[in-house]
Amino acid sequence: MAYVISNTTNQNGTTPIPATSRPLDGGEEWLPPFRLFLEVVKAAIIIVALVCNIVVVYAFIGYKKLRTRVTNYFVISLAVSDILTTGLVTAFRLDYDISHKWKHGEFMCNLYTTMHLLAVPSSVINLCAVTVDRYLVLRMPLRYNSLMPPRRALLIIACLWIYAIIWACLPVMGWKEDIPTISNGSCYFLSTREYNITVNIINFLLPMIFMAVFWLLIYAIVQQHRKRVLKIERSLSLNTNDSSNSSNLNYNVEGTLMNSPAHGRNERRDKKRMRRNVRRSRYIGFIVVLFYFCWLPYVTLSMIGNLCMSCPTFNRAFFEVFLVLGFMNSALNPFLYPFHDKHFKEAFRDMWRKVRNKLFRKMFRNKNED
């Protein structure tokens, strides 16, 4: 989202520079311990987010079993978004906080601001896609594989990224304020007030409503599945008792076989599949909730700053804390789904075994040479 603080003036002190084009530094003097604390948190976020998300992407590329599940494609797309956000936004932000001067030139300034504008929309649309994917899995489990093959998922992901990149590039392509990109050692956001309001509504608030509706539908389906699982458990229990009391096969009114081993196996398989789908949907739901918990405060202040130019200026510390909270989302996402998924965990264990064996072989080789 756009970086919105308050009105300021240009280097000549005469022409107002809109709030939407505020530079990276806010001009306020902060307590050194508070600034140092935020810098340490940002550094930790960068390390954790890059390492964890790169490991997740590497596991997806290296292990074929992970590529057979379409939901993983959307999860990996979200991981790529987190890598770009951390590597090209949080890292440059930390560098500026430490040096208090933009040292990377105009091109990198434009790249930084564009990636800043891409960070939230790219994550939001990926979360919308994975929400719809979870709905289809639960609503139409038997038709899901034909409705969402991997190639179609890749096409959807490509379209979503093109959409997000176009929105992020609009300021660079012309929808911007007529001010210098870099001035007095600061990198300026060039997006207009109208652009910021439009992006916040179309690429944050509306998707939030969209996902809320779909998760209500998913919740209703999950409740139906729970009732069905209980019904299956009762049916299996009754069938087991009947089988122990009688060696004869019982048929219902319609003539369907009730106590056959095949019937029991089918019910157990349906029960296992439903529980697995519900569990995965729950983890995806945690990712959606975490995203809005992390980014909603910052986007809310951004909306207020753009809609109410005459409102009292917020303390800069609020924006910094809420921005760090948003960055933290990139570091937490891998712990919510990939690190809980059985197949991802198998891939991680296999990767660790290979790295460990390689290190041991290298150590023994060095000892033999000595």
Side-chain angles (χ1 to χ4, degrees), residues 196-215:
N196 294 328
I197 295 173
T198 303
V199 169
N200 284 332
I201 293 175
I202 294 179
N203 290 333
F204 190 85
L205 296 180
L206 292 182
M208 182 171 64
I209 297 172
F210 172 85
M211 283 189 281
V213 171
F214 264 85
W215 280 105

Side-chain angles (χ1 to χ4, degrees), residues 79-99:
V80 171
S81 174
D82 290 336
I83 291 172
L84 294 175
T85 300
T86 305
L88 295 176
V89 179
T90 313
F92 280 117
R93 180 76 202 184
L94 176 62
D95 176 74
Y96 185 90
D97 289 343
I98 294 174
S99 63

Side-chain angles (χ1 to χ4, degrees), residues 213-229:
V213 171
F214 264 85
W215 280 105
L216 287 175
L217 297 175
I218 290 174
Y219 177 78
I221 295 173
V222 168
Q223 294 302 109
Q224 293 176 3
H225 280 197
R226 285 177 176 173
K227 293 179 181 179
R228 188 179 173 189
V229 167

